[in-house]
Structures are given as structure tokens and as C-alpha cells.
Amino acid sequence: MSNLVVLPIIIPLLAGVIVALFNKKVAVTRTLTKLFSILNLGVAAYLSWIVFTTDSIILETGEWVAPYGIILVADPLASLLVLTTNIVAVACAFYAPHSLSLRQETHYFYAFYFFLITGVSGAFLTGDLFNLFVFFEVLLMASYALIVLGGERIQLRESIKYVLINLFSSILFVTAVAFIYGAVGTVNMAQIAERVQIQGQDGVLTTVAILLFFVFATKAALFPLYYWMPKSYIVPNTVVSALFGALLTKVGIYSILRVFSLIFVHKLELTHETFIWIAGLSMLFGVIGALSTNNIKLIIAYNIIPAIGFILMGLGVFNQDGMSGSVYYLVHDMIIKTALFLIVGVIAYVAGTSDLRKMGGLIHYYPGLGWLLFVAAFVLAGIPPFSGFIGKLLLLQGTLSEYEVVITIIALISSLLILYSVMKIFIRGFWGEKDETGKYEKKSTKGLIGPIVYLLAFSIFLGVGAEWIVPSVESISTYLLDPEIYIESVLKE
Amino acid sequence: MLIAVLIPLIFAIIVPYLSKFKQKVHTGIFVFFIPFSIFLYFIRFVGSDFEPVRQTYNWIPSLGINFDFYLDGLSLLFVLLISGIGSLVVLYSVYYLHVSERLGHFYLYLLMFMTAMLGVVLSDNVFVLYTFWELTSISSFLLIGYWHYRERSRYGAQKSMLITVFGGLSMLGGLVLLSNITGTTSIQAMIAQVDVILANDYLPLIMAFILLGAFTKSAQFPFHIWLPDAMEAPTPVSAYLHSATMVKAGIFLIARFSPIFSGYEWFFIVVSIVGIVTLCWASYMAVRQTDLKGILAFSTISQLGMIMAMLGFGTGAAVFAAVFHILNHATFKGSLFMIAGIIDHETGTRDIRKLGGLFTFMPMTGILAIFGTFSMAGIPLPFLNGFYSKEAFFASTLELESTGNAIASFLVEAIPYLAVFGSIFTFVYSMYLFFGVFTGPAKLDKLKTKPHEAPIGMLVSPFILVLGVIVIGLFPNLFNGTFLIHAAEAVNSTVELEKLKFWHGFITPLFMSLAVVGIGIVFYLTRQKWSNIYHVLPGKLSFNKVYDYIIKKLDDVSAKITDSYMTGSLKTYMTIILATILVVTTFFMVVTGGFTISTDNLAEVTFIEIAVVLVITIAAIATIFTNSKLGAILITGVVGYGVATLFVIYRAPDLALTQLVIETVSVALFLLCFYHLPKLRKRTEKASTKLGNAVISIGFGALMTIIAISAHSTDWFEPISNYFIETSYKLGGGHNIVNVILVDMRGLDTLFEITVLGIAALAIVSLIKLRHDKEAK
């Protein structure tokens, strides 16, 4: 049973190797990719089912007992995120063949895609801080490969910044792990938590915690460390942008959620209070960025930043509703960001440009696409009855029960501006006079719309059918607020 | 009730299919039966023995979000307005909208709105109320943008969405606070805990949040600016959403929450001021408009202000007058919008400067317009409902009592005068609307088509509404006991049923009405003379300009801010990142007293170690100052070999070996790549930049060193490495502990580190091949 935990990591790893071997036969790799993605989704769903109906699953790899060996922990949060990752991955697997050029496909796109999933799933599932670093490397290396895939000049220019800043944060990561090992003599997260608790987060521990926060904040694209993100996310193919937008920054914010709910929770008035400020600034500067541009892909990329701010805000107030809100919002945002990237990808394709100023009246040719964008905009802004609303409501309940008024007002204003930034695409791009010059000759959107509909269906379900999800998310929140459960389930002494 | 609320939405799904037959049957005819059956369903609740009805359907019980429908007198009034006016509007639209229009879309949005609006007025659950509230904003957005190929439609739609969603989000903040404080999501349960709410420190904030929601939705000053632009919507929509129903959602909200806030002095002050200012400003502005719908839009704003003010007064008489006026306003304003639509339809223009003398061409329309406009003006005639509510309004302004607060006392004195002032302009624009369009010389040369009477079908709906004006005017007490009193009681439980009469004797309200008519006539006749005043006020001052300015600045300033730091320069990015980490981490270290140093656990430092470290340090510093690539690489190599030497000293031969190989390979690789790399440029930076960079670098290095020393200086716990030493051979079967750790104990790490290398190799292959292939083509 406990070997189940490793499957969401091993299946994509093997799949990646296999599709790399069949690289020349595009038809085969496409089919294999779809099959493996669905298989992995099934496994992730089964894993979540087991975890939510029974208990967390712990795997001590190589039979080396905790805390000495590497421990994989499928707790409710990790399995929910692995499941969401695979929901998103399936959409991208089906979208990719219609979006990528043949040259990109035959240059190992699908292999890198699977390695990315490997790294992301591993990062969610590991219970070992150094192992987390290793999985970060896996997903980053895959992302380096994906970002330059295509070899355009602009890709290379933006990717060099992306690689260098991420390398820097990786160095800082491994240094911080060394500091932690130096201070508490272990890298097992449960044991670190236990030892930090005994020591009351004294001495250098809070300093190291903040260092670790900055490592993750760089990956999560929080204020003021996100400079690498917006432009580097829009240079690769849309499907790569979607994967990045959905997964990479989310691994960063997940790590913050994990480390600052499990380990460093003994100086809340310092650490978590700071998070609230950083969350607020991320929201503001994120939406300001989203409003600053007419590039539709960049609008969506900037919108990643306020979303991460929302999630951090829930952690900042650190109460039941706030944490539930963070988790709900995290899942919601992974899905809707993917959907939006895929949508703007299609828009840029049919309009032949990413520049909003050169578009107009698209709805006369692509009504379905327009309405998908319309719905997605409201999902993103957290308008009921969609998924974003449930997350936002929980977050607001969390902040307002602590009377954190300033951050609440910032969050509300950000919601409005988020809506405005995306509705701009609808109003200026889709509305307007019918273009008769033949600029928008009907292009085939075959295969591109299906994955978007599939993702939006999840977003709507997460809102309308929230009753099926909310109790699980609230149990995750309870679980996160009580580190003892995690510590005991891993160390079980 | 759930079905009644949702049926328009469900029906909306099949409307696009029905619209396929629009050439044979106008889609509106199908749609008409929906609001009409809802009207019939709810009308049976009307009666003097009415008791509130409650029904609950679970949705998200874990969050307390359920469809708790609560039908009390207030809801019933609104439900009947929504379904009643809705039926008439759909009927009217059948003649107004030609079958060549996108009827499927139109009725889909309209039905969506109906569900939303019914939901707003029936929901007792605050979050369900909010859900429907936003849905009204969305459907209004779509309806205003119905003719989206027009620039003004897009502008109006965006404006209305931004302002109303802004208010909605603000309201959400207030609702969350209320539900946090009271522990319930039901409005009625909140009302039961009014003491708890009034005692809360954040009461001003809660009220501000909720009022912002109401004021934006009901187009109160200064948020009224979206409503005139919303007139870009087809006229049936203007009559329905932007006059009779949606804009009254804010009024409804205030009425709904009155039992909670009425005990709070500032509620009276804020709502009364905003209401009365809106009344005066909008009626003053209405006179200046040239577009028929523009006049009606400002008129609607001003009437909403009047109702808002009465709710702010909060006295029994005021609340009853407010409820009464909600009904009356719907009748006369609804009919006037439809008449404006007819005029537009039959003459091709809504510009009042091009119209005149239409009475001879359109006598039926003209007669209907007399009743509508005169009722709106509040002219004392016994068959106009507008007069009764206007007089009740005047009466309520006179009954206010001060509570002691200076602002409140001043308000009590000023309100009656302001009420008369606003009403004078109401009279002026009402007269202008009628006489400007229907009398005087006809200007046929300015019209595209020769005007003629509207088809009878188009006149049915306004006729029914005008009939309402007259019936209520003749029998003002017709609905009081059975209907209106229940609505008023839901707002203020102390309301007493009073008999409305036309003639009360020579009392102050009558003099106020007469003053309005008298001064109004003078103002109307002399309006050419004083119209220059609009150059002074508002003159250049306009809230529209404020809105446009904000929107423009949102784009410009955000671009400026973003461009200022998103320079694309890696150096800038790294500087900011390093500086941030440096400052914040140092702050935390100081605050938590993180620095400790202990020399207990250190080995003796030998001469050779010092020497090696010195070499490494000097080499590291030297890399910065060299201008030659070759030099930089070689010096970096020195650092690497120095580290390898340290490994040798500490008796870690395998690490030393690894380090040596890596150093050698990378130096060799660098040298190979040199041919392709550009020359290092001599850096020409300002001294201040250099100094800043130096401070950040040295600071960052120092910080890392201090943290490292502090982390090493703790001896709280036994490190887990002792376990590895003990079990390496016993369980791992190897004497070389590092090897056992790598391949067994932490084999997973190694597996994935290998994967990383594999991906890197594949990435390089892909990059090179892709480039190669491209060049080949």
C-alpha cells in the first residue's frame, strides 16, 4: 500500500524516458503522452481517495526508517495538490499537439513535460527538506529545457535571466538547508519541526526560516522577488506557459505553506505578520503589472502574482478559515491559470497577435472562445458561484476575523482590478465591429477548445459543487494548524 | 420558491434554440410567459393577513451558504415589480426589437437578470444574496454592451461593471464582517442580534462597506455616473434594469439592513445626506440633458436619491413613503422610458432639440406622456400617484427630530429646503420633457423619418403602467393594507397604517408642493436665461472626468510603475533581490537575537589551512577586478582547486577528487567556448552605483557568514549523522559511509540528481539540434 506514494513520481519519470526513446515517431509519443497522463491522473485520484478516506500514507524509501532515510508523505494537502497537478497536466497533454510546432514536439517536448510533472509531484510528496531541493532541481531543469524549446532569440534572452535567478535561489536553498542541519542536526521535516518546537524557534532559527522563505518566495514569484517571472513565462509556447503558470510558482507557495505551518510556527507575530504585508504588496504590484500591458499573455502572467499573494495572505492570518482559503485558492488558481493561459494562447493564435490594440470584434468569428474567456475572467476574479469565490470568501473570513482591515481592502480592490485586467481582453478584443477585411479568416481551433472546457468545468464544479470539497479542505486546514499530527504520523514514536 | 427564482435561468438555456424560429414567432412571445407566470405565482401572497414565508434549500451547508428564501412584505413588493414590469417590458420588446437583432442573446441576458434580481430580493442568506447581486451586475454589463459594435456601448458597459462590481466587493467585505460577528449567514438572524452588531468596534467600517455596495448599485452621488452611460442599452432594458428594478437593489439593501443600522446615528446622517444630495444634483443635471433617455437617467438617479433619503430618515412615515414611492416610480418612470423608446423608434432620434410638436402626429403617446411626466413632477392632481408620494416625502422631511449631534441637527433644519430645491428641478425637467417633445413647432426637416403613431402593441405596456398611475392616484389606499404596509413593516416595525388623502387642508407639505409648482413654472419659462449657470456648476467639474481620469491613469501609471522596475536588466533584478533579502533577514536576525558564536566545538586551526583559505579569498576577490575573460576563468579555477585542497586536508579524498574533476572540466569547457563569447566590456558605472553594489555584496556575504557561524554554534541536538556511522556497515553493508548514503540511505536523492543531469543533457541536445535543423532549412 505505502508504495502507492511513489507512483505519481515514478510513472511520469518512466513515461518521460519512454517518450524520449520514441522521439521520432510523433504519433506514438502523442498517444503515449495522453495515455500516461490519464494513467497518472487515475493513480493520483486513487491516492487522494485513500488518503482522504483513511489516513496519510508514509513511505520510508529503501526501508530506512524516519527520520534517517528519505520519507515520502502523502498527507491530505500533498495528495490534493498532486491530484490537481495531474488534472492540469492532462489538459496540457491534449492541448499540446495542437499548439506546438512539429519541431518542438520532436525535440523532446513530451519528455520534458513528464520530467516537469515528476519534479512537481515529488516536491509535493517529499517529507525531507534536502529531497525537496532535489525535486526543485528536477522541475527547474525540465523548465529550463522547456523555456528554450524553440530556440527563438527572445526565448534565449529571457531564459538566461530565468536560469540565473533560479540558480541563485537554488544555491541559497541548499545553503539554508545546510544552516538548518547545522542548527538542528536533521533534514527530515517532521523532525525539524519537532526540534524547532522543543527549542521554541530560538536563536538563529527564525533567521534561517526567513532565508528559506526568500528561497521559496523567489520561486513563488512574490513581491519583490518576481522580476524573472512575467516575461520569461510568456516567451515559450502557450502550453509551456500554462504548465509554468499552473505549477512552478505553486510549488514555491506550497513549500512556504508547508514549512511555515509545520516547522516555523513559534514566532507568528514576526514571520506571519510580515507575510501579510508581503501578500498585500504582491497583490498590488501584481495587478498594477497586469494593467500595465496590452500583451494578453503578459496580462495573465502578471495575474499569477496577486493570486500567490492571496494564498500567502491566508497563511499570514494563520487561522482555520484563512488556511482553508489558502488551500482552496491554491487548487482553484492552478486550474484557472492553466485555463486562462490556454485561452489566451488560442486568442493569440486566431488573432495572429498578442497585442490587444490590434484586436477587435473577434466574437463575430469565435463566439465560443469569447464566452470561455468571459467565464474564466469571472472565475479568476472570484465572482460567485465559481471556484475563486469559495477560496476568496474563506480568505476574507480569515482576515476579517482577525480584523486585518487593510489587507482585506487591498484584496477586494485587487479582485476588482484583476477582473478589469482580464475583461479588458473581452471588451477590447472580442467586442467591436465585425472585421470584414478578412484579417480573421476562420482558423481551425480543433483540439484546442476541449482542454479549456474541461478545466473550466472543474472551476465551475469547485464553486457550484463546493459542498463536496469544502469539508476536505477544512480538514486539511485543521491538519495544517496542528503540526503534531504530521510529526506523529512520520516519526510515530 | 427555488423553482420560481431559477426558472428564468433554466429557460434562458433554451432561448437561443427558440430564437432559431424568430422569423416565424418573435422569441419574446415565448419569453413573456416566464415573468408573467412568476407574477401570477407571487400575486396570490398579497393580502392583509400576509405572513412571511421561509424556504431553505441546501447548497454549501459547510460554509453556511444555502438558498434560504425569505418572502416578507419587502421582498414581495420587489418580486411583483420584477415580474410585473418584467412581463410588460418583454411584451414591449416584442415590438421594439426587430427580428433581425440577436434576440437569443437579448432574452438570455434578460432572463439571467430576472433570476438574479429575484434571488437578490428573496435571499435571506447574505452570500447567496451577494451571488445574485453580482449576477445582476454581469447581466447588466451584457445588456448595456448588447450593441457592442458601438464604442459608447462598450464604454458604458465597462463603466457600469467596474462601479457596480466595486460596490459589490465592498458589500462582500461588510457581509463577511457581519457574519463573522454574529456567527450566522442569515439576515433575519443578524437582525435578531442587532445589539451585538451595534456594540462592535468596527461598526463604522461595516456600515461603510455595505453602504458603498448600495450607493454604487443605486447610482447615488458620486457613483451615479454609470447610469447615464448605461442608457446605451436597448430601451426595454433601460426601462427594466436601469429604472424599475436593478438600480433599486441598493435601495432594497438599505431597506433590508435598516433594522440593524437604524439605531446608529451616522446611518441617518450618511444615507440622508447622500440621498438628498443625489436628489438635488441629479434633478439639477437632468434639466441640462438633450437626450430623452439622458433626462430620464438623471431623473431616475434623483428619484432614487429621494427614496434613499427617506430610508435614511428611517421614521415610520418616511419608510412608508419610501415604499410607496418605489411602486409609484416604477409605474410612471417605466411608462416614460417606453414612451422615449417609442419616440426614438418612430422619429429616429432621441435628441430633444430635434423634436417638437409631436402631439399632432402621435396623440396616443402624447396622452400617455402627460400622465407620466405630470405624475413625476408631483403636480397636485387627484389622479396622479406621484403627487401622493411627493407630498408624503415633504411631510416626512418636516417630522425629523434631532438626536443631539451637531451634523444631525443641521441636517434636520436643512433637509426640507433641499427637498423643495430638488423638486423644483424635477418639475422643470418633467415639463421640459413633455412640452419640449409634444408641443411647439414640429421640426420635421431634422428628422430622418416622418413621425407617426406607434403600433398598438407597443402602446400596450406603457398604457398599463399609466393605468397604474391613475388607479393609484384615484384610490391611493388600494394597496396599503394588503401590500405596502407589510413592505414598510419589514423595514421599520413601528410603521402605522395611515390613510392617504388628497386633501389634508392647508398644511406645510401642500405649500411646499405649491412652491415647487410656482417656482418651477417660472424656472421652466425662463430656462434659456439661467442655463448659463451650467457653465459655472458643474462647469469643468465632472465626476465622469474623474472616472475617465482614473481609468486612464490606471493604464498609464501602472505602465510607468511597472516599467520603472521591470527594466529587463538582470543586474537590476539581482540588486533588488539581494538588497531585499539582506535588509529583511538582517532585521529578523537583530529582532530575534539570532547571532550566537561559540568556539567550543572547533578543531585547532593549522597554518596550512590558513594559507589555503587566504589563497581562496584573494582569488575570489581578484575575479571581480580582472578585465580579462581568461584571467577570470583561471582565477575561479584557483578557488575551486583551493576548496579541493581543503577537502584533502579534511581527509575526504573522494570529494576532493570530484571537485578536482569538475574544476578541470569546467575550466576546459570555458576555454573551448571562449571563441564564441563576446569580449568583456570595461564597466562604466557611476561611483554611487558601484558603492551601492559593494555594500550589498559585502553585506550579503557578511550576513551569510554570520548565519553560518550562528547555525554552527548551536549544540542543541545530536545530528542524525551518528546513525549513519553506526548503521552504515550493519544495515548498508558498506564501510564507506558516503557511498552508502549516496546509493542506499538517500538513494532517492541520487536517482533524481542523475535525472537532473539526464534532463540537462537532453535539453542541450534538443537546443543544439533545433538550432541546427533551423539553420539547415
Side-chain angles (χ1 to χ4, degrees), chain A residues 64 128 131 161 185 226 464 467, chain B residues 59 62 565 568 744 746 749:
Chain A
W64 289 93
D128 186 288
N131 194 236
K161 293 172 212 164
Y226 56 76
V464 177
E467 184 56 22
Chain B
W59 179 18
S62 340
Y565 65 84
D744 195 345
R746 299 191 67 94
D749 280 348

Side-chain angles (χ1 to χ4, degrees), chain A residues 63-296:
Chain A
E63 299 278 294
W64 289 93
V65 292
Y68 307 106
I70 294 172
I71 312 299
L72 297 181
V73 185
D75 70 340
L77 176 61
S79 33
L80 180 66
L81 293 180
V82 169
L83 178 61
T84 315
T85 301
N86 281 291
I87 289 173
V88 167
V90 167
C92 292
F94 280 80
Y95 185 93
H98 304 279
S99 164
L100 293 165
S101 69
L102 193 63
R103 286 193 315 120
Q104 287 168 322
E105 284 182 278
T106 53
H107 285 82
Y108 305 107
F109 167 82
Y110 295 107
F112 297 133
Y113 155 84
F114 276 119
F115 293 137
L116 188 75
I117 305 297
T118 309
V120 171
S121 302
F124 288 144
L125 287 169
T126 187
D128 186 288
L129 202 58
F130 186 79
N131 194 236
L132 180 64
F133 167 75
V134 173
F135 280 116
F136 263 106
E137 289 306 293
V138 173
L139 69 91
L140 284 175
M141 191 50 81
S143 76
Y144 300 155
L146 286 170
I147 204 170
V148 293
L149 194 69
E152 302 294 333
R153 185 173 285 274
I154 182 166
Q155 283 183 300
L156 294 170
R157 194 182 70 209
E158 289 304 321
S159 66
I160 189 83
K161 293 172 212 164
Y162 175 78
V163 171
L164 283 176
I165 291 185
N166 274 295
L167 270 181
F168 165 75
S169 88
S170 293
I171 295 169
L172 203 59
F173 191 178
V174 85
T175 316
V177 173
F179 290 160
I180 285 182
Y181 183 78
V184 295
T186 182
V187 288
N188 177 292
M189 297 207 286
Q191 202 182 19
I192 300 174
E194 194 184 40
R195 292 187 166 183
V196 169
Q197 192 184 6
I198 293 170
Q199 207 53 45
Q201 205 174 317
D202 259 354
V204 76
L205 287 173
T206 309
T207 313
V208 180
I210 285 301
L211 215 50
L212 208 52
F213 169 77
F214 278 121
V215 170
F216 298 139
T218 313
K219 316 266 183 204
L222 276 164
F223 179 86
L225 308 166
Y226 56 76
Y227 306 103
W228 56 273
M229 194 273 288
K231 288 194 175 136
S232 66
Y233 270 28
I234 62 161
V235 289
N237 187 283
T238 315
V239 69
V240 176
S241 307
L243 280 169
F244 283 14
L247 303 178
L248 294 191
T249 50
K250 304 308 182 296
V251 176
I253 190 70
Y254 158 81
S255 308
I256 295 175
L257 266 184
R258 178 65 87 196
V259 168
F260 287 88
S261 68
L262 175 66
I263 302 175
F264 299 109
V265 288
H266 308 286
K267 292 261 163 57
L268 294 179
E269 71 287 355
L270 275 177
T271 50
H272 289 55
E273 196 61 35
T274 310
F275 295 166
I276 293 180
W277 286 106
I278 294 179
L281 290 167
S282 300
M283 290 176 202
L284 282 181
F285 279 88
V287 288
I288 288 173
L291 291 174
S292 72
T293 174
N294 280 304
N295 182 324
I296 55 174

Side-chain angles (χ1 to χ4, degrees), chain A residues 9 13 24 61 64-65 67-68 70 103 107-108 112 115 118 128 130-131 134-135 137-138 141-142 145 148-152 161 164-165 168 172 179 181-187 191 195 199 202-208 210-211 214 224-227 230-231 270 274 285 288-289 291-292 302 363-364 371 374 378 383-385 389-390 392-394 396-397 400-401 403 405 409 412 415-416 419-420 423-424 427-428 431-433 464 466-467 470-471 474, chain B residues 59-63 65 105 109 127 130-131 134 138 141-142 145 148-149 154 157-158 161-162 165-166 169-170 172-173 176-177 179-181 200 202 205 209 551 554-555 558-559 561-562 565-566 568-570 573-574 576-578 580-581 584-585 588-589 591-594 700 704 707-708 710-712 714 716-721 723-724 727 731-732 740 744-746 748-749 751-753 755-756 759-760 762-763 765-767 769-771 773-774 777:
Chain A
I9 307 173
L13 178 65
K24 288 275 177 265
T61 58
W64 289 93
V65 292
Y68 307 106
I70 294 172
R103 286 193 315 120
H107 285 82
Y108 305 107
F112 297 133
F115 293 137
T118 309
D128 186 288
F130 186 79
N131 194 236
V134 173
F135 280 116
E137 289 306 293
V138 173
M141 191 50 81
V148 293
L149 194 69
E152 302 294 333
K161 293 172 212 164
L164 283 176
I165 291 185
F168 165 75
L172 203 59
F179 290 160
Y181 183 78
V184 295
T186 182
V187 288
Q191 202 182 19
R195 292 187 166 183
Q199 207 53 45
D202 259 354
V204 76
L205 287 173
T206 309
T207 313
V208 180
I210 285 301
L211 215 50
F214 278 121
L225 308 166
Y226 56 76
Y227 306 103
K231 288 194 175 136
L270 275 177
T274 310
F285 279 88
I288 288 173
L291 291 174
S292 72
Y302 270 113
I363 202 152
H364 301 286
W371 294 117
F374 186 76
F378 286 105
I383 301 295
F389 174 64
I390 308 291
K392 199 171 74 187
L393 178 65
L394 285 164
L396 293 178
Q397 286 178 336
L400 285 176
S401 63
Y403 293 109
V405 174
I409 292 174
L412 291 171
S415 297
L416 178 71
L419 178 68
Y420 174 51
M423 281 311 274
K424 244 167 55 172
I427 295 174
R428 300 188 192 167
W431 277 0
E433 278 177 55
V464 177
E467 184 56 22
V470 168
E474 286 187 332
Chain B
W59 179 18
I60 317 173
S62 340
L63 294 176
I65 302 178
H105 285 83
Y109 307 154
F127 297 123
Y130 172 72
T131 304
E134 293 295 32
I138 296 171
F141 167 78
L142 290 169
H148 56 72
Y149 47 83
R154 296 201 293 274
Q158 175 174 312
M161 185 191 70
L162 284 179
V165 172
F166 162 75
L169 285 165
S170 157
L172 176 66
V176 170
L177 270 171
S179 84
N180 273 353
I181 293 169
N200 190 283
Y202 288 85
L205 183 73
F209 270 148
I551 291 298
L554 266 183
D555 285 5
S558 63
I561 293 175
T562 306
Y565 65 84
M566 294 296 287
S569 150
L570 186 65
Y573 297 169
M574 281 312 293
I576 299 175
I577 290 175
L578 285 174
T580 308
I581 298 179
V584 178
T585 313
F588 269 87
M589 190 151 202
V591 170
T592 60
F700 201 80
M704 285 294 139
I707 299 176
S710 305
H712 186 77
T714 61
W716 297 321
F717 305 101
E718 189 193 352
I720 55 168
S721 55
Y723 175 86
F724 297 140
T727 55
L731 297 175
V740 176
D744 195 345
M745 291 164 168
R746 299 191 67 94
L748 202 68
D749 280 348
L751 170 64
F752 284 100
E753 285 297 357
T755 310
V756 171
I759 302 170
L762 206 57
V765 169
S766 139
L767 193 61
K769 270 182 68 184
L770 202 61
R771 233 180 149 65
D773 291 358
K774 218 181 346 188
K777 274 179 196 168

Side-chain angles (χ1 to χ4, degrees), chain B residues 65-358:
Chain B
I65 302 178
N66 296 312
F67 292 105
D68 299 321
F69 292 124
Y70 181 73
L71 179 73
D72 64 352
L74 186 66
S75 310
L76 188 61
L77 168 68
F78 275 91
V79 164
L80 291 177
L81 277 183
I82 296 160
S83 53
I85 308 274
S87 311
L88 297 176
V89 161
V90 172
L91 195 65
Y92 175 80
S93 70
V94 170
Y95 298 91
Y96 185 84
L97 281 178
H98 193 255
V99 287
S100 61
E101 298 277 2
R102 299 171 354 268
L103 294 181
H105 285 83
F106 179 80
Y107 288 111
L108 192 148
Y109 307 154
L110 203 69
L111 287 166
M112 200 162 94
F113 168 76
M114 250 177 233
T115 284
M117 197 62 210
L118 288 170
V120 166
V121 299
L122 283 171
S123 297
D124 184 42
N125 188 299
V126 286
F127 297 123
V128 175
L129 176 105
Y130 172 72
T131 304
F132 286 120
W133 182 278
E134 293 295 32
L135 191 59
T136 61
S137 297
I138 296 171
S139 38
S140 159
F141 167 78
L142 290 169
L143 284 164
I144 298 171
Y146 180 65
W147 287 312
H148 56 72
Y149 47 83
R150 296 181 186 165
E151 166 65 30
R152 294 300 303 173
S153 289
R154 296 201 293 274
Y155 173 81
Q158 175 174 312
K159 193 172 185 179
S160 85
M161 185 191 70
L162 284 179
I163 294 178
T164 56
V165 172
F166 162 75
L169 285 165
S170 157
M171 182 180 95
L172 176 66
L175 297 178
V176 170
L177 270 171
L178 277 177
S179 84
N180 273 353
I181 293 169
T182 57
T184 173
T185 49
S186 151
I187 298 173
Q188 295 306 317
M190 285 174 186
I191 292 173
Q193 296 186 55
V194 60
D195 303 338
V196 181
I197 298 168
L198 289 181
N200 190 283
D201 292 343
Y202 288 85
L203 180 64
L205 183 73
I206 299 174
M207 193 187 78
F209 270 148
I210 303 253
L211 290 186
L212 268 180
F215 290 162
T216 49
K217 197 75 162 183
S218 284
Q220 295 298 291
F221 183 89
F223 305 109
H224 62 280
I225 49 167
W226 68 266
L227 194 60
D229 287 299
M231 294 301 132
E232 292 300 324
T235 301
V237 173
S238 310
Y240 189 34
L241 272 73
H242 305 127
S243 173
T245 57
M246 189 183 89
V247 288
K248 292 204 178 102
I251 302 277
F252 171 81
L253 191 76
I254 301 270
R256 201 27 115 213
F257 282 96
S258 274
I260 294 179
F261 292 123
S262 57
Y264 182 47
E265 193 176 44
W266 284 96
F267 178 75
F268 160 71
I269 295 174
V270 174
V271 178
S272 304
I273 290 184
V274 169
I276 210 91
V277 168
T278 307
L279 163 67
C280 294
W281 179 254
S283 62
Y284 169 74
M285 290 297 287
V287 179
R288 190 173 75 145
Q289 304 303 312
T290 50
D291 180 356
L292 289 184
K293 282 176 80 176
I295 300 175
L296 289 174
F298 276 100
S299 149
T300 303
I301 296 168
S302 110
Q303 302 277 325
L304 291 169
M306 174 176 149
I307 301 172
M308 193 63 88
M310 287 192 273
L311 289 173
F313 302 163
T315 58
V319 166
F320 187 83
V323 168
F324 189 40
H325 197 64
I326 290 172
L327 177 68
N328 292 343
H329 178 248
T331 54
F332 65 71
K333 191 57 63 62
S335 69
L336 285 177
F337 264 108
M338 291 177 184
I339 289 164
I342 291 172
I343 293 166
D344 186 13
H345 214 255
E346 306 306 335
T347 65
T349 182
R350 297 195 311 249
D351 189 334
I352 198 161
R353 289 167 299 188
K354 296 182 186 166
L355 296 167
L358 287 183

Side-chain angles (χ1 to χ4, degrees), chain B residues 377-379 390 394 419-428 509-523:
Chain B
I379 293 175
K390 180 65 62 80
F394 287 147
V420 171
F421 176 81
S423 302
I424 291 170
F425 286 98
T426 308
F427 180 88
V428 174
L510 180 69
F511 289 122
M512 290 166 87
S513 283
L514 292 176
V516 166
V517 175
I519 303 173
I521 291 173
V522 175
F523 270 38

Side-chain angles (χ1 to χ4, degrees), chain B residues 17-30 94 98-100 103:
Chain B
Y17 299 98
L18 290 176
S19 72
K20 296 214 168 106
F21 311 106
K22 66 184 181 184
Q23 297 300 342
K24 288 195 188 111
V25 188
H26 196 286
T27 319
I29 292 173
F30 297 113
V94 170
H98 193 255
V99 287
S100 61
L103 294 181

